[in-house]
Amino acid sequence: MTVLEKKGISRIEWPQILGLTVFFAVLPLFLPKTLSMQILFYALLGLAFDLMYGYGNLLSFGHALFFGVGAYGAAITFNTITGNPLVAIGVGLALTVAVAAAIGPAALRRRDPYFALVMMAFNIFFYQLFVAPLAPWTGSDMGLTIRRMESFWIIDFSNKTILYYIMLAVAFLLMILIKIFMKSKYGALLIATSESEFKVESLGYSSFKIKYLSLLFSAFLAGASGALFATFLGYSAIDFIAPTFNIIIVFIALIGGSGTFLGPFIGSFIYIALTYLLTVTMGWHASIYLDGLIGLIIIIVMMKFRGGLYRYLYQLAKGIYVREPMR
Amino acid sequence: MDVTYILQQTILGLAIGLTFSMVAIGFSLTFGLSKVINLAHGAFYALGTYLTFAAMHLTNNFALSLIISTGSIGLVSLLVEKVLVNKLYGKDIDLSLIVTFSTLLVVSTLIKMVWGLDPKSVSPPQFLTTQIYLAGATLPVYYLFLATCSLILFIFVWAVINKTMLGRVIKAGSEDKDRVETLGINMGRVFTINYVFGGMLAALGGGLMAPLISIEPSIGSRIILLCFAVVVVGGMGSIFGTMLAGIIIGLSISYVTMFNAPMSEAAAYLVMAIFLLIRPKGLLGTG
């Protein structure tokens, strides 16, 4: 295991990760910090989704569940138990992984149409749980504002600039973690199960265990981005767990190119630009049309440009796109 | 919690369950025949309710409104099939999932643009708004009407699938499409007919449900997951399994409503999850 991970680290494409980190480090010079943070964490969420879809070929319409549970887990812990950010984010992560572990056996029972829609059904289940019976803790559909947040060690969490760079550092670690997972035996096996579960089984691996592990890792990533983003905002919106959020995740992963590392970052950037543009041109009504516009773009991308923007740009730059080095 | 209330909820559960299974059967047939997961089915249901509402506004005749909405959805589903869905035949399932889900969203947005966000309601004709008294319980006639209509339509669908040439072609095509094509049958046309038939059933189900629910733009995406739950519980491609599953889901929704109304739909998904764990192929499913 450790040997494999060491091998993995030596094969990580450092320029991609370092380039992204530098990019997000200078982004606050041009954009508000909240917006840059949103781009970063939506992209990580897109990567978590893409881990299942782009690599495992398991389409999920329910990753908003993990993002939302992470965000709410952190926010509720802040409000009721402790002001310590490490504990709160840890609780958010633990809750997310626990939820994924609980729903995994039912969701992963069968492949495509089942997995996608069962994930969405669980998402709606938890959404309704959060809106009504758990309303005293979750604040129902008004969202939840984090009321207290203590400084940790020497770090002042009320200073958004410092907070931004701490979050970026954590995101940097998460990106390395994704690369390690993809380069490890499990990443290869996940891709193999997408081709043929039967052949993977005949090699002596349990395809269910591989998918289950990937789901847990994917949930961990999504939960981490949710918990971190909620901590940064000081607020957890009901939109984070709403089933309608899923199509945005799909959009982010697909428009940039699923199965690529940089794709979700491009997609996330485009999503934020699109919302901004719509709000500027249409004002308050923009959110009504956003879903439909996103749907329309996804249809066009899926029917005509399945590779996504990243592959298209890569081909434009290098003349040919063979395949993502990770796959 | 008295007995009469339980009886009332049972009849309601049966009625909405049968309607769910009627909507689900089109979804199930499309998947069985053309291997396309048609999430746009929910859009036809939602459009069906909204068009019934609009036609009621114009004509004030419930039966006529149902016919108008079902007919127009027939045309809409034909258009969707010709423009979009027929490019999905034979492709990966995830492609059809994403594309039809996006179609559902586009249609919901169009509904929001035309009819706005606030919920609408339809009142059924006068003679169906009365109540009857059975064993001390008060039962709205509309529940019984809905259950009867759904049952009749269900028998009709069963007859079409099992007793007509078209039904035999659909059943054979679900098993082996290529071999049916070698018999000189244009499967593309059968796919289209099947799709439009399913879409019209969904619209009819939506129109019949319209007086019972508050009509909102999001009903399309809600019904499609309930349909899917019905299909999972009943088993893909089994007509009676779908009917039984519809009743199970409908009853679980109406019983949970008695205790905790906001969680009623979540109960249906819990039933689905349990079935996926203990019997993944469904009640009467084969594969």
Side-chain angles (χ1 to χ4, degrees):
Chain A
M1 183 69 194
T2 45
V3 179
L4 275 168
E5 279 182 356
K6 271 178 194 158
K7 266 188 201 165
I9 288 173
S10 66
R11 286 186 289 135
I12 288 174
E13 293 89 2
W14 287 102
Q16 271 185 1
I17 296 180
L18 290 174
L20 274 174
T21 313
V22 171
F23 175 76
F24 278 104
V26 297
L27 200 60
L29 297 178
F30 309 100
L31 286 178
K33 283 186 205 67
T34 317
L35 225 51
S36 344
M37 203 90 282
Q38 197 177 6
I39 294 173
L40 177 60
F41 284 122
Y42 277 23
L44 283 178
L45 176 62
L47 265 177
F49 163 84
D50 207 34
L51 192 77
M52 297 305 284
Y53 179 55
Y55 299 95
N57 203 13
L58 285 158
L59 176 65
S60 149
F61 281 146
H63 265 60
L65 168 63
F66 301 139
F67 192 80
V69 170
Y72 270 101
I76 292 171
T77 314
F78 270 127
N79 281 351
T80 56
I81 301 171
T82 170
N84 188 336
L86 272 191
V87 176
I89 292 170
V91 169
L93 277 180
L95 271 180
T96 318
V97 176
V99 165
I103 68 175
L108 289 168
R109 234 347 159 40
R110 303 182 67 169
R111 274 196 98 85
D112 238 347
Y114 289 88
F115 181 70
L117 295 170
V118 170
M119 286 294 291
M120 190 167 187
F122 277 121
N123 191 346
I124 294 180
F125 179 84
F126 277 91
Y127 172 70
Q128 292 188 339
L129 206 67
F130 272 47
V131 168
L134 296 181
W137 295 279
T138 58
S140 195
D141 49 3
M142 297 298 289
L144 190 61
T145 310
I146 295 173
R147 286 192 292 271
R148 57 168 180 179
M149 198 183 290
E150 286 163 11
S151 297
F152 173 69
W153 192 34
I154 51 166
I155 304 161
D156 181 14
F157 268 82
S158 56
N159 185 338
K160 288 276 178 189
T161 314
I162 293 177
L163 197 53
Y164 182 89
Y165 287 102
I166 295 170
M167 295 293 172
L168 185 58
V170 180
F172 175 70
L173 293 179
L174 285 176
M175 285 186 231
I176 296 177
L177 213 58
I178 296 170
K179 285 282 187 189
I180 289 175
F181 182 84
M182 291 322 300
K183 299 288 174 181
S184 74
K185 186 174 81 178
Y186 298 100
L189 282 172
L190 178 64
I191 294 169
T193 50
S194 80
E195 308 275 334
S196 164
E197 286 193 19
F198 189 68
K199 285 177 187 166
V200 172
E201 295 262 352
S202 73
L203 286 174
Y205 296 103
S206 157
S207 69
F208 173 77
K209 274 184 192 159
I210 295 160
K211 289 188 289 182
Y212 195 54
L213 195 75
S214 313
L215 182 70
L216 290 185
F217 183 63
S218 174
F220 167 80
L221 268 180
S225 29
L228 292 169
F229 189 47
T231 308
F232 181 81
L233 281 181
Y235 175 70
S236 174
I238 193 71
D239 291 0
F240 291 164
I241 199 170
T244 43
F245 190 37
N246 285 311
I247 196 70
I248 295 167
I249 303 173
V250 173
F251 175 84
I252 286 172
L254 285 183
I255 196 159
S258 72
T260 63
F261 187 77
L262 291 177
F265 287 92
I266 301 173
S268 169
F269 210 88
I270 290 175
Y271 168 70
I272 301 292
L274 191 71
T275 34
Y276 187 72
L277 219 71
L278 263 179
T279 321
V280 166
T281 50
M282 288 177 149
W284 193 238
H285 297 292
S287 62
I288 299 176
Y289 305 112
L290 188 64
D291 277 356
L293 191 65
I294 282 179
L296 212 59
I297 296 175
I298 291 177
I299 291 176
I300 294 167
V301 167
M302 283 309 270
M303 301 305 268
K304 301 278 179 200
F305 314 97
R306 268 198 87 172
L309 211 57
Y310 172 73
R311 292 190 175 87
Y312 181 75
L313 291 176
Y314 194 97
Q315 203 169 11
L316 217 62
K318 296 268 171 88
I320 189 166
Y321 180 85
V322 185
R323 59 174 189 165
E324 173 77 354
M326 203 178 343
R327 274 205 75 156
Chain B
M1 196 79 41
D2 50 352
V3 182
T4 57
Y5 186 42
I6 295 177
L7 184 67
Q8 198 180 336
Q9 287 299 98
T10 310
I11 303 285
L12 173 67
L14 276 176
I16 59 172
L18 282 169
T19 319
F20 286 159
S21 52
M22 194 179 80
V23 180
I25 195 79
F27 179 73
S28 171
L29 279 177
T30 310
F31 181 70
L33 181 66
S34 49
K35 303 288 177 281
V36 163
I37 277 280
N38 178 31
L39 299 182
H41 205 67
F44 301 144
Y45 173 89
L47 266 182
T49 37
Y50 268 96
L51 284 175
T52 310
F53 164 77
M56 271 298 272
H57 215 68
L58 288 176
T59 63
N60 213 14
N61 182 337
F62 190 60
L64 188 63
S65 312
L66 280 182
I67 293 170
I68 292 174
S69 76
T70 310
S72 350
I73 295 304
L75 292 178
V76 172
S77 55
L78 185 67
L79 186 76
V80 171
E81 206 270 352
K82 286 290 175 205
V83 173
L84 208 59
V85 176
N86 72 11
K87 296 187 179 68
L88 301 173
Y89 296 139
K91 299 273 176 63
D92 292 341
I93 270 179
D94 52 322
L95 183 69
S96 73
L97 268 169
I98 293 173
V99 170
T100 54
F101 189 57
S102 307
T103 314
L104 174 60
L105 281 178
V106 172
V107 171
S108 308
T109 306
L110 289 178
I111 286 177
K112 280 180 202 164
M113 284 164 78
V114 176
W115 282 285
L117 287 169
D118 40 316
K120 306 270 188 285
S121 65
V122 169
S123 51
Q126 198 68 52
F127 68 97
L128 288 175
T129 50
T130 52
Q131 298 180 325
I132 58 166
Y133 300 96
L134 185 75
T138 322
L139 289 178
V141 174
Y142 196 81
Y143 292 0
L144 300 174
F145 169 74
L146 185 61
T148 320
C149 276
S150 305
L151 211 58
I152 291 171
L153 279 163
F154 220 88
I155 293 167
F156 171 69
V157 173
W158 180 85
V160 167
I161 297 297
N162 285 309
K163 300 291 174 197
T164 65
M165 193 60 205
L166 175 70
R168 291 198 188 100
V169 171
I170 290 177
K171 267 165 83 175
S174 310
E175 303 233 323
D176 192 339
K177 175 175 156 282
D178 296 335
R179 216 187 285 179
V180 178
E181 254 178 349
T182 57
L183 295 174
I185 292 166
N186 182 353
M187 278 314 275
R189 187 173 294 164
V190 177
F191 281 4
T192 311
I193 293 170
N194 182 46
Y195 192 87
V196 172
F197 184 59
M200 286 168 82
L201 274 180
L204 199 54
L208 284 171
M209 280 290 266
L212 282 184
I213 54 176
S214 77
I215 306 169
E216 294 161 346
S218 65
I219 51 173
S221 46
R222 290 228 300 275
I223 194 77
I224 196 65
L225 270 166
L226 285 174
C227 271
F228 181 70
V230 168
V231 169
V232 166
V233 173
M236 284 275 183
S238 157
I239 292 186
F240 278 108
T242 309
M243 191 172 92
L244 271 179
I247 292 171
I248 290 174
I249 297 280
L251 283 179
S252 56
I253 287 180
S254 67
Y255 284 147
V256 173
T257 309
M258 294 198 289
F259 303 106
N260 191 344
M263 289 299 286
S264 56
E265 257 170 59
Y269 305 136
L270 212 59
V271 171
M272 174 180 79
I274 293 167
F275 264 87
L276 269 176
L277 280 174
I278 58 175
R279 198 174 164 81
K281 65 181 180 180
L283 272 176
L284 300 176
T286 44

